[in-house]
Amino acid sequence: MKATNLLLGLAPWILFTVIAGHVGTNAVGYAALAAFLGSLALAIRGARSTGVNVVDAAGVVTFGVLTVVGLTASHHVQQLLVDYGRGGAALVLATVMLVSAFTVPFTEQFARPQVDPRYWGSPVFRAVNRRISLLWAGLIYAMAVCHMTSGYLSDHGENPRNLLLNWVVPVLVILVGLKQTERIAEARRVTSAEGGAA
């Protein structure tokens, strides 16, 4: 699986995180709207090729709800979205990833274009994607904790380490995830080449 395909699928979630951290209370609904439109575009694109990915569908629902709340709620609720929206969105994403690992791993839909269709039902293909999906669920949960901690500190008048909690750790989490995804996929390719494709 190409990790860049996975990164593209996460783009609306990243977009919301970046925009929501900079726009303030009056425009947090528009940050959610941008992420909603990105998720919708990816869902439509995916439906035409490999089917709607669960991450795209979760993005459409999550950011659709955040858009409505962000555009119609009181200033106080909008401030809560600024403080906790990134962490909440990350919790939703991590939970979707975790649940998918025990049903149909979300990474399968990103991996299928690079894998011969006759292997899509293979136990090995499913196991590799389950491992990658669990990896990403754990990493995104860690990111959610950072965002929620930052939001809590901000909400309670503390001066949060915004750079560390909202930027440094999440960027490192994504880089680790991409590197480990490539490593796991490459290890499977090497094993398949040595012992015949599973």
Side-chain angles (χ1 to χ4, degrees):
M1 170 183 17
K2 292 183 182 177
T4 51
N5 291 346
L6 180 58
L7 187 59
L8 177 64
L10 297 176
W13 301 84
I14 295 167
L15 180 68
F16 177 72
T17 297
V18 170
I19 298 174
H22 285 82
V23 297
T25 56
N26 294 331
V28 70
Y30 296 107
L33 178 60
F36 168 78
L37 293 173
S39 294
L40 185 61
L42 289 174
I44 292 169
R45 179 177 162 249
R48 293 181 180 156
S49 55
T50 59
V52 177
N53 189 298
V54 67
V55 170
D56 299 335
V60 169
V61 173
T62 301
F63 296 121
V65 170
L66 289 178
T67 298
V68 171
V69 172
L71 294 175
T72 62
S74 67
H75 180 77
H76 174 70
V77 172
Q78 290 173 337
Q79 184 59 52
L80 289 174
L81 281 182
V82 170
D83 292 337
Y84 297 107
R86 291 172 287 179
L91 282 174
V92 169
L93 177 61
T95 302
V96 166
M97 291 174 167
L98 180 63
V99 170
S100 81
F102 297 101
T103 54
V104 177
F106 80 95
T107 56
E108 280 191 17
Q109 290 169 304
F110 293 109
R112 285 180 181 162
Q114 291 89 42
V115 175
D116 188 322
R118 65 186 165 152
Y119 299 123
W120 290 359
S122 136
V124 172
F125 182 70
R126 177 69 43 96
V128 168
N129 281 286
R130 179 170 288 121
R131 184 172 173 198
I132 295 170
S133 294
L134 286 170
L135 165 76
W136 277 97
L139 291 172
I140 301 299
Y141 274 125
M143 185 186 300
V145 169
C146 288
H147 287 315
M148 293 299 265
T149 301
S150 175
Y152 177 83
L153 292 172
S154 180
D155 187 32
H156 288 80
E158 301 290 330
N159 184 12
R161 301 220 176 254
N162 189 37
L163 183 64
L164 178 64
L165 294 174
N166 284 328
W167 298 105
V168 175
V169 173
V171 167
L172 289 175
V173 162
I174 289 172
L175 291 175
V176 166
L178 294 173
K179 180 84 170 164
Q180 290 301 314
T181 297
E182 289 286 352
R183 187 187 65 75
I184 293 167
E186 183 59 32
R188 181 62 213 147
R189 281 190 290 270
V190 169
T191 303
S192 294
E194 290 173 350

